[in-house]
Amino acid sequence: MELYVDSANIEHIRHAASLGIISGVTTNPSLLAKEDPSVDPKTRILEIHKLVGGHLSVEVNSTDTEGMLREADEILSWFPEATIKIPMIPAGLAAVSKLASQEIPTNVTLVFSPTQAIAAANAGATYVSVFMGRLDDISVNSVDVLDEICEIWEVQGYESLIIAASIRHPIHIVEAAKSGADIATVPYKVLIQSLSHPQTDAGLKQFLSDYEKMNVEMKKAIVI
Ligand code: G3P
């Protein structure tokens, strides 16, 4: 399972990218709105694009098909390899289908059920984003929903890639991987949390302290 970072924060994306563990970035209007308002979204998106070589999803803000397609054209004029993120509504499916016929990659967002995922796959979505945290928020078990969608993918052989989104904690990453999601898009804070373990910290502390106890000759021998 690949990891993307779900963020519009340049410093967070720069750091995550420097670790060599992420292969893409997803953004949405809420993430962009959290950032410095003096930087317009186009400038910010282009800055993110410069930082990451891989996938970058940019969301449209219209709710009608024509408006979404106009926005897609605008985003593609910024950088042609953009993935256009489109909400899971009927007008969005029509936009996805049109973009798919032009081989433009799309990411259908706000997917909460197997039937929505099936529709997105049939419209030709490149990526289908299943929102785990927001399902759990309303007491629907997100793992059951993701499992069901992954099972359908297996049976039907759909080609759209499944993104586990709305990830709130490291266990969501583990569950997404076990379900068979292709990608988990993870907020920076959760990504960093997922790398640490108290036993790693304790073990490293012990190793460093034992290294300091060695005499100069022993240290030289280790370096050689
Ligand atoms: O990838 C979708 C994500 O940005 C939504 O996350 O935590 O707002 O539900 P959240």
Side-chain angles (χ1 to χ4, degrees):
M1 183 179 77
E2 289 185 5
L3 296 171
Y4 289 1
V5 65
D6 194 27
S7 174
N9 181 286
I10 292 296
E11 288 322 309
H12 290 171
I13 294 169
R14 192 193 313 281
H15 182 227
S18 76
L19 303 178
I21 57 173
I22 62 156
S23 37
V25 176
T26 50
T27 59
N28 64 35
S30 308
L31 292 170
L32 284 163
K34 278 190 202 159
E35 301 304 318
D36 178 359
S38 70
V39 180
D40 67 276
K42 175 182 173 183
T43 307
R44 171 135 349 252
I45 292 292
L46 287 177
E47 217 178 329
I48 297 171
H49 174 56
K50 233 196 271 170
L51 279 177
V52 288
H55 168 111
L56 174 54
S57 276
V58 186
E59 189 158 341
V60 298
N61 298 292
S62 306
T63 51
D64 63 296
T65 307
E66 286 315 309
M68 290 180 196
L69 292 173
R70 261 196 311 277
E71 280 191 69
D73 277 348
E74 169 69 16
I75 295 164
L76 292 163
S77 77
W78 303 347
F79 66 109
E81 58 276 42
T83 294
I84 311 299
K85 201 171 179 191
I86 296 195
M88 175 53 234
I89 54 176
L93 293 173
V96 168
S97 160
K98 176 89 178 152
L99 292 170
S101 71
Q102 297 165 13
E103 293 185 12
I104 294 165
T106 53
N107 176 356
V108 175
T109 187
L110 293 167
V111 170
F112 293 92
S113 72
T115 50
Q116 290 181 320
I118 291 168
N122 280 297
T126 319
Y127 303 90
V128 175
S129 288
V130 182
F131 275 44
M132 297 189 77
R134 292 190 197 189
L135 278 167
D136 294 335
D137 286 346
I138 55 162
S139 303
V140 176
N141 187 331
S142 62
V143 177
D144 290 348
V145 174
L146 193 59
D147 274 349
E148 225 177 340
I149 292 172
C150 289
E151 186 188 338
I152 291 165
W153 252 237
E154 188 97 9
V155 172
Q156 297 293 331
Y158 286 134
E159 285 177 5
S160 310
L161 298 173
I162 298 172
I163 301 184
S166 183
I167 297 277
R168 302 280 175 75
H169 45 69
I171 293 171
H172 273 152
I173 303 175
V174 176
E175 293 295 353
K178 281 162 66 184
S179 293
D182 298 285
I183 297 144
T185 188
V186 184
Y188 174 77
K189 185 172 160 246
V190 179
L191 187 71
I192 298 305
Q193 264 176 354
S194 75
L195 305 181
S196 71
H197 194 287
Q199 286 291 59
T200 306
D201 297 342
L204 180 60
K205 197 170 163 208
Q206 184 70 53
F207 288 153
L208 292 175
S209 123
D210 290 340
Y211 177 73
E212 281 316 312
K213 288 179 203 152
M214 291 179 195
N215 63 31
V216 176
E217 291 312 308
M218 284 172 84
K219 282 182 180 168
K220 265 195 209 153
I222 287 174
V223 172
I224 291 160

